Amino acid sequence: ILWQTQFAASAPPGFDPAPLLAVELQVPTAPSSSEALRAAVAQLPGVAGATWSGNVPGRDDHTGTRGSTNVQRIDGSSVALSVQMVGADFFKVYKVPALAGRVFDARERQAAEGEQNVVLNQAAVTALGWSSMQQALGQRVNGSTWRVVGVAPDLRWETLRDPVRPMMYLVLSDNGLMTVRLDGSVARAEVEADVAAVWRRHYPAQP
């Protein structure tokens, strides 16, 4: 089940990749069971935290596909935003702080019926037509139920030759990739073995 991403070393990705281990699930799991798996991994010796995401920064899945959606700028024109589905504690595990407002956290819930909180990157604030990050806070993305609660730095999700694209983060409802943050107290190889053991306990029929 283990797959370790190799983050680009020749350019800053926007976070420190050294203590991160990426784990790819080869089979789909129910949200309740995958959350139990994440919680168990997060409690392992040498682990500072664990989070789900649909992808990880710097990973090339060789599919040529990049999720995006067309939304309205504040002037009514259309712009494409890249969409990343992440766990509520994604920014905490990656140690990426908010530049304005807040990022998601473990208490994340829908802001109100019919609304969903989103985090934008800096490029998205500009692309959507707001003059500042502060101006974007609390606003709805035009023509949608997405309300901006924070702005995160521009992370390198794609290749070094690609410019950082306007991006919107949504809290995911399923799983695909788990990022584990190591605290340095236990050797990486030992943590990898422990993660694999946790997987076998939770899914003995799916080695």
Side-chain angles (χ1 to χ4, degrees):
I1 64 163
L2 291 180
W3 171 83
Q4 294 186 55
T5 185
Q6 297 298 319
F7 296 101
S10 56
F15 59 93
D16 179 12
L20 301 179
L21 170 69
V23 181
E24 183 174 24
L25 297 189
Q26 301 293 343
V27 294
T29 60
S32 59
S33 60
S34 62
E35 175 54 25
L37 173 67
R38 186 208 62 79
V41 169
Q43 295 299 314
L44 289 172
V47 172
T51 187
W52 292 112
S53 58
N55 203 351
V56 292
R59 184 193 187 210
D60 183 0
D61 62 6
H62 304 293
T63 64
T65 59
R66 296 170 179 171
S68 64
T69 186
N70 287 325
V71 298
Q72 291 181 13
R73 289 168 42 91
I74 61 175
D75 64 4
S77 60
S78 179
V79 65
L81 293 185
S82 177
V83 177
Q84 293 293 345
M85 307 297 293
V86 300
D89 45 4
F90 173 87
F91 294 101
K92 177 182 177 181
V93 169
Y94 276 75
K95 287 194 177 298
V96 174
L99 297 176
R102 66 175 181 86
V103 291
F104 301 140
D105 58 39
R107 301 166 298 172
E108 193 63 40
R109 296 292 184 272
Q110 287 190 336
E113 185 177 356
E115 289 189 351
Q116 184 175 6
N117 291 339
V118 300
V119 172
L120 303 178
N121 69 351
Q122 294 166 278
V125 171
T126 301
L128 287 167
W130 285 302
S131 60
S132 69
M133 293 183 289
Q134 291 295 334
Q135 185 186 25
L137 297 180
Q139 301 297 316
R140 275 196 183 189
V141 177
N142 280 359
S144 78
T145 59
W146 298 318
R147 188 172 297 280
V148 180
V149 297
V151 180
D154 292 336
L155 303 183
R156 286 189 173 274
W157 283 84
E158 300 170 355
T159 66
L160 298 180
R161 64 179 176 272
D162 294 318
V164 173
R165 297 197 298 161
M167 184 167 294
M168 176 171 64
Y169 294 92
L170 300 173
V171 175
L172 83 171
S173 58
D174 54 9
N175 59 75
L177 286 160
M178 183 194 298
T179 299
V180 179
R181 186 172 193 89
L182 311 181
D183 65 16
S185 65
V186 177
R188 179 179 289 258
E190 292 183 39
V191 176
E192 291 177 4
D194 289 344
V195 171
V198 169
W199 169 266
R200 289 191 295 270
R201 288 199 301 272
H202 282 74
Y203 305 103
Q206 301 169 343

